[in-house]
Amino acid sequence: MINKEVRDAEDAIRDITDGSVLLLGGFGLCGIPEAGIQALVRKNLKGLTCISNNAGVDDFGVGLLLKKRMLKKLIASYVGENKEFEDQYRAGELELELIPQGTLAERIRAGGAGIPAFFTPAGIGSELAEGKEIREFDGRLYLLERWIKADFALVKAWKGDTAGNLIYKGTARNFNPLMAAAGKTTIAEVEQLVPAGELDPNQIHTPGIYVQRIFEGAGYEKRIENITVSP
Amino acid sequence: MINKEVRDAEDAIRDITDGSVLLLGGFGLCGIPEAGIQALVRKNLKGLTCISNNAGVDDFGVGLLLKKRMLKKLIASYVGENKEFEDQYRAGELELELIPQGTLAERIRAGGAGIPAFFTPAGIGSELAEGKEIREFDGRLYLLERWIKADFALVKAWKGDTAGNLIYKGTARNFNPLMAAAGKTTIAEVEQLVPAGELDPNQIHTPGIYVQRIFEGAGYEKRIENITVSP
Amino acid sequence: MLSKEQIARRIAREIKDGQYINLGIGIPTLVANYIPDHLQVVLQSENGLLGIGPYPQSSDINPDLVNAGKETISMVKGSSLFDSADAFAMIRGGHIDMAILGALEVSENGDISNWKIASGLIKGVGGALDLVASDAKLLVAMLHCHKDGSSKLRKQCKFPVTGVRCVHKIFTDLGVFSILPEGGFKLLEHAPGVDPDEIRKKTEGRLVIKGEIPEMTGFQ
Amino acid sequence: MLSKEQIARRIAREIKDGQYINLGIGIPTLVANYIPDHLQVVLQSENGLLGIGPYPQSSDINPDLVNAGKETISMVKGSSLFDSADAFAMIRGGHIDMAILGALEVSENGDISNWKIASGLIKGVGGALDLVASDAKLLVAMLHCHKDGSSKLRKQCKFPVTGVRCVHKIFTDLGVFSILPEGGFKLLEHAPGVDPDEIRKKTEGRLVIKGEIPEMTGFQ
């Protein structure tokens, strides 16, 4: 099998430059590419476009990129938790494109799957439908939506092998598999990297073909946004 | 969890009637719902429309339904191995709709996913494009294709639980997960049925929500079309 | 007037055996606590889980297991995990039977507005647009009025709409309402101690009161 | 003239390190036997496997593990399994680097016809239409002529076309050909003992022979 292992996050993001378009996995702070984001912060790039379901919080996740004013545009479904976003947005320093979460997921899935456009009922009657083609199928209205692809995808998995195969854990899976398939160069970071052949082929969530670089991250913080416990 | 277990194949197909539209899982003879097909044969229904990647062989799989002249229409990507098909087709007794395999898979996936139509490059320039809408995206031509759904889906998995969760094995997975999601009533047969809670939630291929009935089949023949061995 | 917990309790009575349900953030999340034990229902979390269980014991907190509100959760027996595209395929494909959502406002023809708006800025749409456009029966849980006293049951929504003609029933601190096919909120039940006249005053849209309106029960 | 095995051997030389490749039924399937050991390549089977291994030992035959030709196979280390929608998402999405397919005919502008036709009846399209429409570099392996002696390298395909302007190179028992941007088969190599004149006679479409044509090697 082709060996996709790279040294570390710095090595993995070596050709991400000012102005790159990035897909960033995760839902809230769950399943985000922590090591990759930290490496981006250290590199202090400018003018990035990030496609990520959320904007992180002020001092973690995508919020770290916002804080350093590295983003030109954010494409997300929900940015409610981030105050830094609001300031930059109101100051006109940041573009925002809000997309319904299911449409965002399906557009990214379409990008990886070679489907340039598809119809979905989500958004009909809302202001998100403005300027979009509407068509009736079987008596119901649908919006035409385009695929989303990007130069780079940064995803995080639980286990991975040197062939690039990935297994996610719990709800940390979320946007990661779709983004892995929609990135021209997909960078996977894993908690545990094993030699090809150690993972059960039947349990792979992301086949290695979608991953161009893989490394084992260290010291995952896995911050929790809302700790809720049973009494 | 909701218990989806039914007694056997007869019980599972109880409301399939003459003229029903069925999705039948499997690729060639690999991963086909053997028990369900045999129950259909015993029930000797007429005028069925079957959506199945292949037509089986003369004495196994979908071929058994052909042999008993139970089919009105077959929607498939390849029917090469079945002579019975050819006779009935030439006699005008059977309609055939040939669909490129990837388009067939994606149309069924769209049916389960609530996508009424999507664009694909497969078939551009061929006679399969006749009468279909063609549109250019980013300088390339694509065909508009519609979703496929059906009254019933018959699928076969390796393991399942009473909540309807399914795990497939090897390349016997093929069309089964997509069809499970596109059937109004999905009937799953498994080699091993376990109580809900015994399967790892992280390894489920088909979430139980897609399965309305499940039973453990017995005596799987798993016939092989082409036995090939290394010298 | 009902508390948020009481609204949640009342909605829980709408749930039927065998349903797959998506609960939104806020009052809807509370509904999970009041589903009768004899009902077999499955809760979906649109970030990739079927089979949400109770909040975990503090010793069992798992950062890799959160709900759509980013709260730590547990899984019940028979759960399954999947990615975000599959989660919304499930919703869009009509496999979820019921969605219980919060809302900013509902109009008398069943339009809903439930963007996340903070200091006048739309800060998110989340999964609500997909849910309201799906075949899931849509129940709305919300307080009857905004903080400034203006009604959330309106002729037309003031806020941008997220879905049109999609709401099935509304549960507020004042009562239970259905949407009439010809438009209008039909009062089905009133909260204890709440006069239908008070409800009429606090409902901006067309309110239809026909015959004797029973008092809400089943929220204790 | 080359045997089918020799055509397969010659095509194997086109494979580059790190490629993901889909091999069609027939001569293409044979190519797997001749991929040089020092190359790390991964073979995809469109029925749901990345990482096809050799045919199994007779003691290891597994009915749940077949290739697109329904033949029993094995898996190499680092394989992954998936469903048919994912398999074709991989193809359609441009993730497969190269496809090696059989064909009924190829036209001089790179159209391909490779339906499964038996006794005049189209019996299948399989996964070929998706592969020829993808970004995968398309190599065709076929005999130069039909059984009746008529050429398979044609001005226009006689049989219905499965894809247009998609063929990159053609490997036959007589030679290796590329498709010129302006149309026409460019002879790149001729088989040992086969005269370019013979190739010209057996090629119905426009054949371009420029300069000295090297003899095919690398198929022994």
Side-chain angles (χ1 to χ4, degrees), chain D residues 72-87:
Chain D
T72 47
I73 48 163
S74 68
M75 292 189 282
V76 299
K77 282 186 180 181
S79 291
S80 55
L81 294 154
F82 35 85
D83 66 38
S84 299
D86 286 344

Side-chain angles (χ1 to χ4, degrees), chain A residues 54 77-79 81 86 89-90 99 101-103 122 126-127 140 170-171 173-175 222 226-230, chain C residues 55-56 61 64 66 69-72 81 83-84 88 92 116 119 121 123-126 129-130 133 135 160-161:
Chain A
N54 306 88
S77 89
Y78 185 66
V79 296
E81 290 89 354
E86 193 172 328
Y89 180 75
R90 289 195 193 273
I99 300 179
Q101 194 177 150
T103 299
S126 84
E127 61 184 41
R140 195 163 174 167
T171 58
R173 196 184 316 181
N174 56 64
F175 280 83
K222 293 197 189 178
N226 302 310
I227 294 180
T228 43
V229 294
S230 279
Chain C
Y55 293 135
I61 285 176
D64 292 327
V66 301
K70 288 110 182 177
E71 298 173 326
T72 47
L81 294 155
D83 67 38
S84 299
F88 283 94
R92 203 188 303 104
K116 298 297 173 300
S119 22
L121 196 65
K123 299 191 83 171
V125 292
L129 274 102
D130 303 275
D135 285 336
V161 157

Side-chain angles (χ1 to χ4, degrees), chain A residues 1 15 37 60 64 71 76 80 83 100 104-105 120 123 128 134 141 153 162-163 173 179 200 215 221-222 228:
Chain A
M1 275 280 168
D15 45 3
I37 290 174
F60 206 64
L64 295 172
L71 303 193
K83 287 192 215 79
L104 179 63
T120 176
L128 293 185
I134 294 173
L141 298 178
T162 51
R173 196 184 316 181
M179 289 184 170
D200 180 351
F215 65 95
E221 181 178 344
K222 293 197 189 178
T228 43

Side-chain angles (χ1 to χ4, degrees), chain B residues 25-61:
Chain B
F27 179 90
L29 302 180
C30 182
I32 59 172
E34 287 187 25
I37 290 173
Q38 281 154 14
L40 287 172
V41 168
R42 284 192 294 273
K43 207 170 172 182
N44 198 16
L45 298 167
K46 296 293 170 202
L48 299 177
T49 295
C50 282
I51 303 144
S52 166
N53 188 59
N54 306 88
V57 293
D58 284 339
D59 61 345
F60 206 64

Side-chain angles (χ1 to χ4, degrees), chain B residues 1 33 38 41 47 61 65 93 100 104 108 157 176 187 189 191 193-194 202-203 206 208:
Chain B
M1 274 281 167
Q38 281 154 14
V41 168
L65 305 178
E93 295 165 9
L104 178 63
I108 297 167
N176 286 297
I187 296 163
E189 57 183 84
E191 294 176 50
L193 183 63
V194 301
N202 213 28
Q203 291 173 18
T206 290

